[in-house]
Amino acid sequence: MSAKAEALGGAGESKLSPQFHVAHHFDKADTQFDAGRMGVWLFLVTEILLFGGLFCAFAIFRSKYFPSFVEAHHHLDRVMGGINTIVLITSSFTMALAVRSAQKNETKKTTLLLAITLACAAMFLVVKYFEYSHKIHDGLLPGGNFTAADFASGHPGIFFAIYFMMTGIHGVHVVIGMGLILWILLRNQKSEFSSRYYAPVENVGLYWHLVDLVWIFLFPLLYLVG
């Protein structure tokens, strides 16, 4: 046994070995990896159902209050929405590269890419903070809290109720994703991932891609489609 293996695991497996991470109720690493991936995909399906319900609600209220939705969506900042779209697409790209580098035992590169992904997520929230602040200042608020003037249609508050709900829930997912990315970043700095064990990085990457994908649908739906 090498000195490195002894330092990491003593008489057992080293941290670079898949057996080091196998839980007692799995017979081998491959079984645990497949079960974990399946669990993540099932979780992502429930997330799709959640946002699918919100998209259905948007479609129903848009058809019922079409003039209000058309007028209200012009008050969204397309520039800020576009910036956030570019930021999230970039973060999805760096996340994919981070998974690949973890598979290739490139620990330092993985840390850098995860840090860039985390920075992009933080930038998204900063832009959203300024966007929300502008809406609150102008009285573009949900439902009965809507106080903005100069609207010809009768129910613009319904649009902003759905807007804040959909983007707010998405924002919560971004915050959760940042926590997960930070978690695997710290673990990666301890050299816990390698070509033999990278499941947490891949699973967090799958979650982050869903967060990006949802925004790619939200941006045109709320900001561009009249």
Side-chain angles (χ1 to χ4, degrees):
M1 179 180 295
S2 67
K4 184 176 182 180
E6 291 179 358
L8 291 174
E13 298 284 345
S14 76
K15 282 191 177 182
L16 297 181
S17 170
Q19 288 300 127
F20 185 88
H21 304 275
V22 176
H24 68 88
H25 49 282
F26 290 103
D27 57 346
K28 56 183 179 178
D30 289 342
T31 305
Q32 177 174 284
F33 179 78
D34 292 339
R37 177 183 287 175
M38 177 64 69
V40 171
W41 276 109
L42 290 175
F43 169 74
L44 295 182
V45 169
T46 65
E47 293 291 283
I48 293 173
L49 291 174
L50 169 64
F51 284 101
L54 294 175
F55 288 135
C56 289
F58 179 89
I60 292 171
F61 283 103
R62 182 178 179 273
S63 63
K64 187 174 182 179
Y65 303 104
F66 182 74
S68 296
F69 271 53
V70 172
E71 184 179 12
H73 102 279
H74 289 294
H75 290 264
L76 299 183
D77 195 320
R78 296 182 180 181
V79 175
M80 287 189 175
I83 291 173
N84 267 348
T85 302
I86 295 173
V87 166
L88 279 190
I89 291 176
T90 302
S91 73
S92 187
F93 177 67
T94 55
M95 187 72 230
L97 292 179
V99 174
R100 180 56 179 164
S101 61
Q103 295 171 342
K104 296 170 63 178
N105 295 325
E106 298 173 343
T107 302
K108 291 184 178 179
K109 185 177 179 180
T110 302
T111 298
L112 175 61
L113 290 167
L114 290 175
I116 294 174
T117 305
L118 195 61
C120 289
M123 184 182 299
F124 176 90
L125 292 180
V126 169
V127 173
K128 185 57 64 177
Y129 166 78
F130 285 109
E131 189 176 1
Y132 275 7
S133 299
H134 176 72
K135 300 292 181 296
I136 294 172
H137 179 268
D138 290 347
L140 301 172
L141 298 171
N145 296 315
F146 185 88
T147 58
D150 301 327
F151 272 79
S153 57
H155 303 281
I158 295 178
F159 172 85
F160 287 102
I162 294 180
Y163 163 80
F164 276 105
M165 178 173 290
M166 297 181 78
T167 58
I169 292 177
H170 177 264
V172 171
H173 282 73
V174 172
V175 173
I176 295 173
M178 291 178 66
L180 293 173
I181 294 170
L182 179 61
W183 171 60
I184 60 173
L185 191 155
L186 295 176
R187 291 185 62 186
N188 181 72
Q189 289 182 318
K190 299 177 183 178
S191 299
E192 294 188 17
F193 305 126
S194 68
S195 59
R196 295 184 177 183
Y197 179 70
Y198 55 87
V201 183
E202 182 177 81
N203 291 337
V204 171
L206 289 173
Y207 173 83
W208 191 249
H209 292 323
L210 175 69
V211 173
D212 298 341
L213 183 63
V214 169
W215 179 257
I216 290 175
F217 281 98
L218 286 178
F219 174 63
L221 188 70
L222 296 173
Y223 291 78
L224 303 180
V225 180

